Every structure is written in C-alpha cells, then in structure tokens.
Amino acid sequence: MHITRAMMNPLISPGQVSPSSPDLRVVSAFNAAALTWGDETMLLLRVAEAPINVAPDEVAIPIITLGPDARPNITIHHFHKSSPGLDLRDPRGIIYQGEHFLTTISHLRLARSSDGGHFTIDSAPALFLSENYEEYGIEDPRMTLLDGRVYITYTAVSRNGVCVALASTTDFQHFTKHGLILPPENKNVVLFPERIQGQYMMIHRPTGGGLGGLQMWLASSTDLLHWGAYRPLMAKRLTMWDNVRIGAGAVPIRTSAGWLEIYHGVNAEHGYCLGAVLLDLNDPSLVLARSATPLLSPETEYERSGFYSDVVFTCGATVTQTPLEGEVVQIYYGAVDETTCRVDIPLADILDHLLTPVPLGADFLVLA
Ligand code: MAN
C-alpha cells in the first residue's frame, strides 16, 4: 500500500492560528472537517484554547457563560494543583471532586487551500459557543454536502454531557445552528453524503459504560433533525488493533465497492490509529470488509509526542484524481491532539487492503 504523509506535515500548527480573545492562547488546531468546495479544499478546524497567565502551581479551566444579551463571556476557574480531590492525570481535562472539566475550550475555524497543502486560516471563528449545551466547547466537526447545503455535525460539551449538534452553511460566510440532534453521551457523527432508500443516514458513537459501549451505530432521519431507527453497526474487536474503542472519522466516500468509511480505533499498544470499513451501498448496516491492520498508526515524531501522545484522529477526507495513481484519498488528521496533518493513499490500495481475505478470529465481533 502506498501511504504518503504530506512532506509539509504538520500542515497547520497552533502557532499559525490567532486566539479568539486576548485572554486565551491557542493550544491545538486539529481534528478538522474537510470538503472540496469549488477549486478549494475547505477545512473546519477544531481550535482549542487555554487561559494565559496561569500560576505554575495552578490549573485554569475556561468555561463560557452566556450573558443576558446571550453574548458568550469566558470565565476562568483556578484550582490549586494540591487541592484535595483534584485529578490531573489527563492533559485534556481534570476531575475535581468527581466532576469533569476540560483544560481547553474549543471553537471551529475555517482554513482554505487551493493545493490541499498550504492553508490560509481565518482570523475569527466560523462557529463559536452560543448555547448552554456548548459551555465547555464545540469539537470534532464533520462536513457533508447534501442537497446543496453543507451540514456540519459537531460535538457540544457542557456540564450536561457530550452531545451532538448540527449546523449548516451554503457559502462558508453565514452559518446556521440547528440545535442538538443527539443527547449525551454521543459523538463521532458522520452524515452519509446522499439519501439511502429515501432516508438521511448517520453513523454515531454512543458512549455507554458497561455492556456494549464505544461502538459504532447507524441511525436514519427524514429531516436531519429527528433521528431514529437506531441499530448497531460494528463493535470493537477484542484481540485486534481496534479493541478499546472505535468511532467514525471521515464522511463516508461512495466507491464502486461500497461506502468507504475511515474510522479510528484505539489499542493499548499504539494509541489512536486509523482503519477502514466498507459498507453496502444500499444497506450500510451490512459490513462488507474491515481493516485487519491499521491504515495509519502513530509513527512519526509529530504523531507520537505532544499534547496527547500517540494519536492520529480524522474528521475528514477528500478524493483527488491523479495521473499516476488514479483516485487518491487525502485523509486530513489531527496528530497528538495538537496539529493538522494529511496522508494520501490511493483508493485502489485501500480497497485491496480491505478486500484481500484474512482469517477472521473468533473475536471478530461484527454486529451487522
Ligand atoms: C476523543 C476525541 C478527540 C480526540 C481523542 C484523543 O475521543 O473526541 O477529540 O482527538 O479523544 O484524545
């Protein structure tokens, strides 16, 4: 398989992004939705920011409060690092007396490029926090073009949990928020780019504890706002590379062999990796093939060490036609929850990787 990381990786680093307010610094610009729009590649970046001027013996938590005029104000909560009941082990968040908070607050920012490599990043957010259910941030967008409108699914985080919200635009200048479409705990929602059997469809990832948990599901809708017909799609595989958790990544790509979905899988040895699954074109609940080994694992320095080490995580891919390799899938991915990178893989190579028979272990627990 020809896996080519962009020579210029990371394509976008936090230092290139201006903060949304003078009280904040940009920690990460990552997990971007991707869409081909005319002659350009549009990325919708997740920009994570943290408070500035924090004393070395303190940790500061940014939260948005909505003023009477509904304008978001950032409030910074300081915790002394030696406070009893404070758990600082995960750089992404703290637990204080049993309650979870995030160390950064995320919004969504546009970046555009005519070559898929050099990006111009907007100086202001495209989508910012404006609702109570977004008070801890909005994260990990995916963009799908449907009926001439770009729909954006994203994770909305608040004290009430991790939910999924929908927004849309037709021009990348004006954005409309449509509200929550899935209650907590749920994330990693991708919308299929066309109706299937007359229905809009999504892949989502409920985050249940105990039985099941952390596996991918399908749902259908007739209006993109009200969802139902929930059914499990695929589970973790106990002795394979995706044995801890899985979740949809890029928006599904139509191929002659089926819907190609690039998803993330986590394992204790390598961290967050990317793999692929092929779903039936007319009935995506039928899993036709699934990566026996990852397509991409954290291997380079910029994928192995940083804000949250050993992570490659995608929210979007584009397909481009090349003279030598035919259609090439350009997967944009976040590295170590800090930067935006790209890896190119010929579509034919991904399909070969998927369709080459491998012995299925007894733990190949596909719920189809
Ligand atoms: C979460 C996701 C991402 C993040 C990974 C790795 O599951 O929501 O935002 O990239 O964890 O930290």
Side-chain angles (χ1 to χ4, degrees), residues 30-31 46 92 140 187 245 272 308 311 313 337:
F30 67 125
N31 293 5
R46 169 180 170 190
R92 300 170 300 178
D140 298 357
K187 54 166 58 175
R245 62 177 64 207
Y272 279 74
Y308 194 68
V311 176
F313 189 98
D337 283 0

Side-chain angles (χ1 to χ4, degrees), residues 263-307:
Y263 73 99
H264 68 262
V266 182
N267 65 79
E269 198 186 344
H270 298 108
Y272 279 74
C273 302
L274 298 180
V277 60
L278 205 53
L279 308 174
D280 186 86
L281 285 177
N282 296 315
D283 179 2
S285 70
L286 300 175
V287 175
L288 306 178
R290 185 168 165 185
S291 295
T293 52
L295 289 173
L296 189 75
S297 308
E299 278 166 16
T300 64
E301 173 63 20
Y302 58 81
E303 296 161 350
R304 295 234 42 211
S305 65
F307 181 74

